[in-house]
Amino acid sequence: MQGGRVMNTNFVEKIPFDFSFGIPLMQVKIQGKSYQFLFDTGAPNVIGKELADQLKYKTISTVDISDSQGVKQKQKTILVDELQIGDVLFKGMAALIIDYNKVFELGCLKIDGIIGSNLMSKLYWQIDYESKEITFTDRMSLFDIPQEHYVLPMRERWSQKKPLVRITMDRMTFNNVTFDTGATGGFSMVMGAAKDHIDSLAIFTMKGSNSVGVYGDGGSSDFKYVMIDTVRLGNLELFDQLIEFESKGAMTLGNRFLKGYRVILDWHQQQVILIENLGFDHKKEEHFGIRLKFKEEKVYVGALVSGSYAEAKGLEIGTQILQMNDYNLRSVNDSLGCYMIKTRMLDQLDTLQLTFDRNGMETQVMLMKQDFTQMKQKS
């Protein structure tokens, strides 16, 4: 995974990326044709199974890989002779083969692969979320870094060069948080040994599945939401932030946080530089108390906030949603399902009229958004 070469020298390359799904998608050329790849610091290089079969890549080894949900499987490794990003040529880069179409939400991305951290580590990268541009170069000095900036020390997981950072939250320290441009969330932490302390501070709780990895949702989890007085990342301090803690899975720092900064990744000095644009501030969690799950052309309640109006109205984890406002969800084709995911439909609505299956009977409810940060005070 650490092999391969960059064929260009003394260059600066700038390419656009698509951020409509909340993760950076970019164009990559292989054998003269353009393909859509995810720019993902939390993963190694990946070639989708369909593309790998088309290009007839041969397996060179098999390795164990864990996804963002903590699910581990064996994957085949191949050697990509050449790939090109902009005008920059990479040779002999190792990649995994993964079938994205096995997970509905990932299939919606229509990606052909991943540019991962084992390739990125050979150069310097800047992600500008305001201009939707990725700039990369073989000379760090070519980046414009203002005097006012933040520095996060990072270390790398040796096998794939995945960047890990340290985050301190009040008196709790988390040492192995993946700096993850492939994650849509912000701070996603795992309770671990701090579970009892987090339980005592939790404002509200959600149960179920709130996200997916390359192998699916990883099963049900408990999610605790805590207002943390001080969050420290290197020399950056944030105050009074609502943080999500999960009972299992992987710890990630994702795009909900990153998009507030211009990000520079420097594997050579093992640091991440953050230049503030809008910054990050998450003090309020307002939604309908449910997260949706798509399976076999149907929509279900994937996760549910305990004590929410949704729970009081009879919704449960696994409840099938038959209709949502004007959308008939009794049979959901790929187009509608992907549209719901891409537009984050639940987040855009103010009221939610649902028809759902309750013990074989169709039941209708009307839900309003709740500010869940007020739940503990009300109780």
Side-chain angles (χ1 to χ4, degrees):
M1 296 304 294
Q2 298 182 38
R5 294 177 295 157
V6 183
M7 305 308 293
N8 304 51
T9 57
N10 299 320
F11 68 89
V12 178
E13 188 72 19
K14 185 177 293 187
I15 58 171
F17 67 86
D18 176 7
F19 198 62
S20 56
F21 278 96
I23 49 178
L25 305 176
M26 55 191 259
Q27 294 298 306
V28 171
K29 282 186 178 181
I30 300 177
Q31 297 183 7
K33 292 184 178 181
S34 290
Y35 299 96
Q36 181 160 263
F37 275 55
L38 168 62
F39 184 84
D40 187 356
T41 54
N45 295 335
V46 172
I47 300 292
K49 185 179 184 303
E50 186 176 322
L51 179 57
D53 290 344
Q54 175 187 328
L55 298 177
K56 296 181 172 56
Y57 286 123
K58 294 181 179 179
T59 302
I60 57 174
S61 67
T62 302
V63 295
D64 288 322
I65 292 293
S66 297
D67 71 358
S68 61
Q69 308 304 299
V71 180
K72 181 182 289 187
Q73 291 187 15
K74 289 188 178 296
Q75 297 295 155
K76 295 178 180 179
T77 306
I78 60 173
L79 201 62
V80 181
D81 296 335
E82 291 186 356
L83 66 84
Q84 190 173 329
I85 306 175
D87 290 327
V88 179
L89 183 63
F90 300 82
K91 285 193 172 186
M93 303 301 301
L96 305 177
I97 298 178
I98 291 178
D99 186 357
Y100 296 108
N101 294 320
K102 288 185 176 180
V103 180
F104 178 78
E105 291 85 348
L106 297 183
C108 289
L109 298 177
K110 305 297 183 187
I111 60 173
D112 300 294
I114 291 174
I115 293 299
S117 52
N118 57 314
L119 181 150
M120 294 180 206
S121 65
K122 300 181 182 305
L123 298 169
Y124 305 94
W125 300 79
Q126 174 181 277
I127 314 161
D128 190 329
Y129 288 88
E130 280 195 328
S131 64
K132 305 294 186 296
E133 289 180 327
I134 293 172
T135 304
F136 58 106
T137 178
D138 56 350
R139 291 176 290 168
M140 182 71 171
S141 60
L142 296 176
F143 287 131
D144 176 24
I145 302 176
Q147 186 173 356
E148 294 293 326
H149 65 272
Y150 303 102
V151 178
L152 281 64
M154 77 171 185
R155 69 180 188 84
E156 58 191 41
R157 183 181 174 186
W158 73 269
S159 59
Q160 69 183 56
K161 302 287 188 177
K162 178 170 70 175
L164 304 174
V165 297
R166 176 180 179 177
I167 300 177
T168 302
M169 297 184 175
D170 294 343
R171 291 171 292 175
M172 300 177 289
T173 298
F174 302 90
N175 288 311
N176 297 305
V177 182
T178 301
F179 192 91
D180 195 353
T181 59
T184 57
F187 291 88
S188 297
M189 315 304 290
V190 175
M191 296 180 224
K195 182 182 184 304
D196 290 343
H197 180 59
I198 291 165
D199 283 345
S200 69
L201 298 176
I203 298 174
F204 66 98
T205 299
M206 182 169 68
K207 295 180 181 294
S209 173
N210 193 27
S211 59
V212 298
V214 296
Y215 305 131
D217 62 22
S220 183
S221 292
D222 292 335
F223 299 85
K224 307 285 185 177
Y225 293 82
V226 175
M227 192 67 73
I228 298 293
D229 291 338
T230 306
V231 179
R232 294 184 178 87
L233 307 89
N235 63 335
L236 170 61
E237 289 188 338
L238 302 169
F239 302 100
D240 301 321
Q241 298 298 313
L242 185 65
I243 304 297
E244 174 189 280
F245 293 87
E246 188 176 357
S247 59
K248 63 179 184 179
M251 294 190 292
T252 60
L253 180 63
N255 286 298
R256 187 174 182 179
F257 168 83
L258 302 178
K259 67 182 181 181
Y261 301 85
R262 176 159 57 94
V263 176
I264 296 175
L265 295 156
D266 176 1
W267 270 266
H268 299 80
Q269 296 297 319
Q270 295 204 321
Q271 62 180 355
V272 178
I273 294 173
L274 301 177
I275 298 140
E276 188 169 330
N277 291 325
L278 298 175
F280 177 84
D281 192 33
H282 185 209
K283 292 180 170 61
K284 192 174 184 179
E285 188 81 4
E286 189 175 37
H287 52 77
F288 295 107
I290 61 172
R291 297 293 189 224
L292 302 181
K293 178 179 179 180
F294 298 81
K295 185 177 180 181
E296 297 176 352
E297 298 186 345
K298 291 180 172 56
V299 181
Y300 301 90
V301 175
L304 180 68
V305 175
S306 301
S308 62
Y309 298 149
E311 185 180 58
K313 295 287 188 179
L315 289 162
E316 300 175 345
I317 296 170
T319 296
Q320 183 184 350
I321 306 299
L322 303 175
Q323 183 148 340
M324 187 173 75
N325 290 0
D326 295 330
Y327 292 94
N328 185 345
L329 305 180
R330 288 165 176 81
S331 180
V332 180
N333 58 32
D334 289 356
S335 177
L336 176 56
C338 291
Y339 173 78
M340 293 173 67
I341 293 169
K342 185 173 183 178
T343 60
R344 301 174 184 86
M345 188 180 290
L346 283 186
D347 296 335
Q348 307 305 318
L349 299 172
D350 295 318
T351 60
L352 191 61
Q353 184 171 337
L354 293 179
T355 301
F356 64 95
D357 185 331
R358 187 174 189 180
N359 299 321
M361 300 287 291
E362 291 195 7
T363 304
Q364 291 187 347
V365 297
M366 176 70 77
L367 297 178
M368 306 292 291
K369 282 186 174 177
Q370 289 180 257
D371 178 4
F372 292 104
T373 54
Q374 302 301 315
M375 286 189 72
K376 190 170 185 178
Q377 289 88 327
K378 287 183 179 179
S379 64

